[in-house]
Amino acid sequence: MTEAGTSSRSVTLVQLPSGELSLDIHANSGWSLGDLLGFGVRRNPRRGYLLVSKVLGKHVPVSPLTIQAAHRALAVQISPDLPGPLLFIGLAETATALGEGVAREWADHTGRSDFTFLHTTRYHQQGVLALEFQEPHSHASGHVVYRPANETGQRNFGQARTLVLIDDELSTGTTLENLARSYHALNPALERLVLVSLTDLCPRHTDIQAALGLPVLSVSLLRGELHFAPDPAYAPPGLPSVLGNGADKTDLLAPQSARSGQDAGHSPYLDAALTRLLQTPQGASVLILGTGEFQYPPYLLALRLERARSDLRVLNSATTRSPVAVWGQIAHALEFADNYGDTIPNFVYNVRPGQYDQVCVGYEGQATPDPRLLELLNAAAIRLA
């Protein structure tokens, strides 16, 4: 990786096995490129690079206090005076915890309660399907959004004047534009769109605003532009199947979750898990892993443990269905089966067997983690919702 430029603007070139990545950074909010990102290579012919977040808690284990600091740094940039009600939507699977964390931190910062948070999902469940849209570059491109299960959430969903869409990074903005178009068709009275991301490298904000006919506000920790020149000689490894069986997953999923507009932080299982982990021997290293879309409650458990036991080294990460090559920021990979009966390969990155004194894998409902993962990491499975 090479950098050139001034303190206000810099250009970073990254040579990947799949091609050359160029990042033209225009502005930051006190978080440098090195603070926020490393780089990886997707096993995906549609997009050969991966921006690997160092503050997300997904591909790289991170202190939950660092994750919370990133949530807060985004939340304080979202105006407290936006017209309500507001609908916050986080993108599965990578930004489910990021989205809910930003929404909850914004509510704490502003004192407002006229909002609902949802996250998109790739699982079919009982409930009223609100909309579907595509994430074109993804290996698993279809997303669905369900209407909230409670009366307040239903009202906020149907009458939102501000739509806040959260993803970990914006490269082209196409995915969030697709979601915004789908929602705007359901609610023509929408007045504002806010795009929130850790890194905003999208050059199309003006185009998105023109296409939607709405004011579009952008919030990020780092802003610039990205250009990728693929190497035509690069042959990515084969992609695993991500189709799943299409079955209704209601019996496996948490009975209450952010997929249905419910606060994922109010679960009695969290309190029980924290009580158990508070007995951890002094000075131990503890990793708490979320699973797939189920990331926010494991993050909360890690955060509460780190606050309560400063003598412990607590880190938070999550499993993923995203197939990534071992290169660059991705130093190690473990493969196992998904939690939801789809036989889709899942992965945990940058976690080696024996690296931590204690590993806890947080899961929802009846979606118990693959015994192979638990055996590889000598981990305990803990239900958190």
Side-chain angles (χ1 to χ4, degrees):
M1 181 173 71
T2 60
E3 294 188 34
T6 67
S7 59
S8 60
R9 186 162 187 165
S10 65
V11 175
T12 298
L13 299 177
V14 185
Q15 296 294 335
L16 309 174
S18 54
E20 183 179 80
L21 188 65
S22 173
L23 298 169
D24 185 355
I25 304 304
H26 302 169
N28 66 64
S29 58
W31 300 67
S32 71
L33 178 64
D35 291 335
L36 292 175
L37 291 179
F39 304 96
V41 178
R42 296 176 187 262
R43 292 165 50 188
N44 185 343
R46 283 181 273 185
R47 180 173 286 184
Y49 63 88
L50 178 68
L51 303 180
V52 183
S53 174
K54 297 179 181 180
V55 300
L56 182 66
K58 185 69 173 175
H59 297 88
V60 178
V62 183
S63 158
L65 288 173
T66 298
I67 296 172
Q68 184 185 49
H71 293 175
R72 286 181 171 172
L74 289 171
V76 298
Q77 294 183 62
I78 302 173
S79 171
D81 302 318
L82 289 166
L86 296 91
L87 177 63
F88 288 76
I89 302 180
L91 269 286
E93 64 174 13
T94 305
T96 55
L98 173 65
E100 187 155 7
V102 169
R104 304 294 171 199
E105 293 290 346
W106 178 83
D108 289 345
H109 177 66
T110 62
R112 291 181 63 169
S113 59
D114 58 335
F115 77 98
T116 290
F117 173 78
L118 292 167
H119 70 70
T120 73
T121 182
R122 293 187 170 104
Y123 297 120
H124 296 289
Q125 65 182 65
Q126 294 174 16
V128 180
L129 182 64
L131 54 89
E132 300 178 73
F133 67 99
Q134 295 293 311
E135 182 178 5
H137 70 268
S138 176
H139 63 290
S141 60
H143 289 253
V144 295
V145 177
Y146 288 91
R147 289 185 179 271
N150 57 67
E151 183 178 345
T152 299
Q154 291 171 13
R155 182 175 63 252
N156 290 344
F157 184 93
Q159 301 176 14
R161 297 168 63 198
T162 298
L163 177 64
V164 184
L165 302 182
I166 307 108
D167 206 355
D168 62 316
E169 53 98 357
L170 296 185
S171 294
T172 67
T174 302
T175 302
L176 295 191
E177 180 183 355
N178 289 346
L179 174 51
R181 284 175 179 270
S182 295
Y183 178 77
H184 196 200
L186 292 178
N187 178 15
L190 184 70
E191 298 176 17
R192 303 279 180 86
L193 173 64
V194 184
L195 304 180
V196 180
S197 59
L198 294 168
T199 54
D200 183 349
L201 303 170
C202 174
R204 299 182 52 251
H205 289 286
T206 301
D207 295 340
I208 294 171
Q209 181 164 297
L212 292 170
L214 294 172
V216 177
L217 311 174
S218 301
V219 168
S220 65
L221 302 183
L222 193 75
R223 182 169 296 179
E225 293 184 20
L226 175 151
H227 304 280
F228 181 64
D231 181 347
Y234 177 70
L239 279 173
S241 172
V242 294
L243 293 178
N245 57 26
D248 187 306
K249 307 295 185 185
T250 302
D251 290 342
L252 292 174
L253 302 174
Q256 293 189 325
S257 79
R259 294 184 190 91
S260 302
Q262 294 146 322
D263 187 343
H266 292 308
S267 167
Y269 295 100
L270 273 172
D271 294 335
L274 180 59
T275 298
R276 174 178 167 183
L277 285 171
L278 286 174
Q279 308 308 310
T280 301
Q282 187 172 3
S285 59
V286 182
L287 174 67
I288 298 177
L289 277 174
T291 45
E293 296 177 3
F294 184 70
Q295 297 171 51
Y296 187 69
Y299 153 71
L300 281 184
L301 175 61
L303 182 64
R304 292 171 186 176
L305 180 62
E306 186 171 28
R307 285 173 170 169
R309 289 287 304 276
S310 60
D311 62 294
L312 301 177
R313 178 173 178 258
V314 182
L315 295 177
N316 178 224
S317 193
T319 69
T320 176
R321 62 164 64 185
S322 297
V324 185
V326 175
W327 182 89
Q329 192 69 48
I330 304 299
H332 189 267
L334 295 173
E335 181 175 336
F336 47 93
D338 73 279
N339 295 27
Y340 299 91
D342 281 326
T343 66
I344 294 174
N346 273 215
F347 308 90
V348 61
Y349 295 114
N350 293 309
V351 179
R352 297 178 184 272
Q355 185 175 351
Y356 297 90
D357 297 314
Q358 187 167 356
V359 179
C360 298
V361 181
Y363 69 94
E364 62 176 315
Q366 303 303 314
T368 311
D370 182 0
R372 171 175 163 77
L373 172 64
L374 302 179
E375 182 180 353
L376 284 169
L377 297 179
N378 190 26
I382 299 182
R383 183 178 176 180
L384 296 179

